[in-house]
Amino acid sequence: MARERIYVVEDDPGLAELLVEELESEGFSVRHAESVETAWSEIESWQPALVISDLRLPGADGMALIPQVKAMPDAPAMLLITAFGTVNQAVAALKQGADDFLTKPLDMEYLLHTVAKLLQHRRLTSVVASIRTNKTVETYHGMLGKSRVMRVLYQQIEQVADADTPVLILGESGTGKELVARAIHNESKRCEAPFTAVNCAGIPSELMESEFFGHAAGAFTGAQKARSGLLKEAEGGTLLLDEIGEMPLELQAKLLRVLQEGTMRPVGTDREVAVDVRIIAATHRDLELRVKEGSFREDLFYRLETLTLSVPSLRERGDDRELLAQSFLAELTADSEQQPVFSPEAMDCLYQYPFPGNVRELHNAIERAVTFCNGEVIERSHLPERVQNNLAAAVAAADRSEDGNAEHESSPELKSLNEVQQDYVRYVLRETGGNKRKAAEILGVTRRTLYRWLAEEA
Ligand SMILES: Nc1ncnc2c1ncn2[C@@H]1O[C@H](COP(=O)(O)OP(=O)(O)OP(=O)(O)O)[C@@H](O)[C@H]1O
């Protein structure tokens, strides 16, 4: 879990320092300001779980902060500190919405107890609120999706986040591997240090060593100045090595040394440099096959694969497809006067096409449709041709397997989309031996949707 955030507003430097130190030593992430004016903009963007504020401050007093903080979405808890003798004011603060108050001089142990109590209460309140509104998680660190496979992935992200060991993320191109890597970083204790993503396939192999591990001045022609390299620049944070399968063998050995010893040797030097960075590797390739072929080191593979996460393809994500499509449409037309909707035929196409390029391809398909539609309805014809034509392929496949009649193919009887869908659903059911779970998976819909289609047909 990422550390919980606490914001302290206190103008007495001695007390502020003490509070920050005590809270940090309890494992919280703490920021501090001396006035309400400075604090407010930071609180709004940093979104702490708790604000501790002195009541009496230069400029606006702590009371002024209460309505602002409490109007925030997912509002932080508020703890006020008052001087002895201003208890009446503190009671007024509670009426305004503050959660608790303490009087000076502060008893640190009691303060920490109060902080723990307020944070626990806030966590419980938000769980209860989400149960009441029956809200299911649809986005997680910028990832949209509430399918079962995605919810399992969110859980796995939380399980690996704090381990601080390397993680290997597998998944087809465009499934969101970089988003998963960012989520791991944001959930980890390194969340306040930088997250850097680098595509190994995008760096010429002759430059890769110095790009990653740095170099001394004059190490090679053109290296006038020394450079610390990507690994060192990501110090304290997380480095995503995308397309790890493309890393040359010699560099794989150097990377293994970083993972095992926490050291590296910049090009043109003979000294080892310590480096503290969490490595996340990602690939859409079959690394095991690369190991067998001899283009990927076996020892590096085993070091990386201990914590492996697999990002599901769009085909495995059931109704996330519609959720993603609708949300991309809303995002792409946010500034337009008209908000187009998908025609049922267009939505069916999106469900039938297998999207080998996954979420990225879906996004591009919708972007194209928004450009070509009349602003009101996105029709099938506005989608890229390959997405539209998938249905034609399905009819041909269904027809061929139904009667094996090649002549029929040369003079096809034109069918309605509904008939095409029914034919294809029947075809997939036949191919899967009537296994509805498997058929729904291939069709990219939930079993519920499949049962609905079958019921409509009956
Ligand atoms: N669950 C999701 N919700 C919203 N957007 C997503 C989701 N998954 C992926 N995307 C978007 O799809 C695009 C591709 O994602 P990303 O680059 O993370 O994929 P990738 O698996 O790393 O691809 P590649 O293997 O080609 O590098 C990005 O624009 C990303 O924002």
Side-chain angles (χ1 to χ4, degrees):
M1 276 268 289
R3 290 185 299 155
E4 277 185 298
R5 299 171 174 184
I6 300 183
Y7 202 96
V8 175
V9 195
E10 174 58 69
D11 62 324
D12 171 347
L15 181 56
E17 195 180 330
L18 179 69
L19 281 168
V20 172
E21 255 175 36
E22 288 283 341
L23 292 165
E24 279 184 341
S25 68
E26 288 296 305
F28 295 111
S29 170
V30 189
R31 286 191 188 175
H32 156 241
E34 290 176 4
S35 69
V36 167
E37 290 77 6
T38 323
W40 173 237
S41 60
E42 249 204 318
I43 290 175
E44 219 182 358
S45 60
W46 195 51
Q47 303 208 323
L50 170 68
V51 176
I52 303 180
S53 174
D54 199 350
L55 201 52
R56 225 176 256 168
L57 292 161
D61 64 13
M63 205 75 134
L65 207 50
I66 304 172
Q68 285 173 302
V69 167
K70 287 297 169 185
M72 283 169 67
D74 200 17
M78 266 210 89
L79 173 61
L80 286 169
I81 302 172
T82 67
F84 184 70
T86 54
V87 174
N88 282 346
Q89 231 184 331
V91 173
L94 289 182
K95 284 193 186 148
Q96 289 259 336
D99 296 282
D100 210 342
F101 71 89
L102 298 176
T103 48
K104 290 183 189 172
L106 288 177
D107 171 344
M108 275 303 150
E109 214 165 305
Y110 188 64
L111 176 122
L112 292 176
H113 167 78
T114 310
V115 164
K117 185 191 73 183
L118 288 178
L119 288 174
Q120 193 195 18
H121 182 253
R122 180 173 177 275
R123 281 192 294 269
L124 286 176
T125 318
S126 85
V127 171
V128 171
S130 75
I131 292 170
R132 282 217 180 109
T133 54
N134 197 21
K135 240 187 353 201
T136 42
V137 185
E138 292 186 3
T139 72
Y140 179 79
H141 291 284
M143 271 175 280
L144 275 161
K146 55 179 182 176
S147 55
R148 195 185 54 78
V149 279
M150 286 306 278
R151 280 185 279 128
V152 169
L153 179 68
Y154 304 153
Q155 267 176 11
Q156 290 172 338
I157 290 173
E158 307 216 333
Q159 283 160 348
V160 304
D162 265 347
D164 216 36
T165 42
V167 179
L168 178 63
I169 304 176
L170 302 177
E172 291 176 17
S173 181
T175 43
K177 296 188 288 299
E178 181 166 341
L179 290 180
V180 171
R182 279 182 191 278
I184 295 174
H185 171 75
N186 290 339
E187 280 290 321
S188 77
K189 46 185 180 276
R190 293 175 181 262
C191 62
E192 279 168 49
F195 171 87
T196 317
V198 45
N199 186 341
C200 300
I203 305 176
S205 52
E206 62 280 10
L207 293 182
M208 219 184 249
E209 183 171 8
S210 69
E211 276 290 312
F212 281 124
F213 303 97
H215 59 78
F220 49 87
T221 325
Q224 275 115 343
K225 282 194 197 152
R227 196 190 147 185
S228 51
L230 285 167
L231 278 142
K232 200 66 193 162
E233 282 158 23
E235 182 77 14
T238 307
L239 179 64
L240 167 65
L241 300 176
D242 204 356
E243 310 287 359
I244 186 84
E246 313 311 313
M247 185 177 262
L249 275 169
E250 324 78 78
L251 294 198
Q252 292 175 23
K254 280 191 100 159
L255 177 62
L256 186 64
R257 190 158 174 77
V258 172
L259 297 178
Q260 282 177 339
E261 318 286 336
T263 61
M264 62 174 200
R265 186 178 296 180
V267 179
T269 69
D270 52 10
R271 68 199 151 80
E272 292 283 319
V273 180
V275 55
D276 167 30
V277 61
R278 184 183 200 186
I279 301 289
I280 300 184
T283 184
H284 64 274
R285 304 250 183 227
D286 182 344
L287 274 193
E288 254 177 303
L289 187 69
R290 297 219 147 196
V291 170
K292 281 193 196 119
E293 291 167 353
S295 59
F296 202 82
R297 286 183 69 110
E298 192 173 15
D299 44 11
L300 179 59
F301 172 69
Y302 286 124
R303 186 80 184 94
L304 290 173
E305 66 108 47
T306 321
L307 295 184
T308 299
L309 298 189
S310 296
V311 187
S313 70
L314 195 53
R315 296 178 297 288
E316 297 163 79
R317 295 181 51 182
D319 289 344
D320 277 356
R321 222 180 257 234
E322 181 163 356
L323 178 73
L324 283 157
Q326 299 287 11
S327 130
F328 291 150
L329 178 61
E331 182 191 301
L332 289 162
T333 55
D335 296 331
S336 325
E337 274 173 21
Q338 273 179 324
Q339 307 291 313
V341 293
F342 290 105
S343 71
E345 292 78 19
M347 188 48 78
D348 277 344
C349 280
L350 295 178
Y351 264 105
Q352 314 261 343
Y353 179 68
F355 283 102
N358 294 290
V359 183
R360 184 185 289 118
E361 191 184 3
L362 175 66
H363 185 272
N364 295 346
I366 299 202
E367 199 164 11
R368 181 196 190 277
V370 166
T371 312
F372 287 105
C373 82
N374 57 9
E376 282 176 22
V377 180
I378 292 189
E379 303 286 359
R380 180 185 167 205
S381 59
H382 300 135
L383 292 167
E385 252 178 68
R386 61 183 183 287
V387 180
Q388 300 176 35
N389 289 342
N390 190 54
L391 279 178
V395 185
D399 280 347
R400 261 196 309 273
S401 89
E402 195 117 70
D403 52 25
N405 182 357
E407 262 175 39
H408 191 65
E409 267 181 72
S410 59
S411 56
E413 188 189 304
L414 295 179
K415 296 186 174 193
S416 75
L417 279 170
N418 234 340
E419 287 170 310
V420 167
Q421 176 173 305
Q422 286 172 9
D423 282 350
Y424 189 58
V425 169
R426 265 187 271 125
Y427 168 68
V428 172
L429 272 170
R430 258 200 320 276
E431 288 295 300
T432 54
N435 182 330
K436 297 202 178 62
R437 187 186 56 76
K438 238 176 166 180
E441 227 171 79
I442 292 169
L443 291 164
V445 297
T446 57
R447 258 186 289 173
R448 205 155 35 132
T449 305
L450 177 60
Y451 281 117
R452 182 165 52 76
W453 285 349
L454 294 173
E456 279 166 10
E457 199 182 324

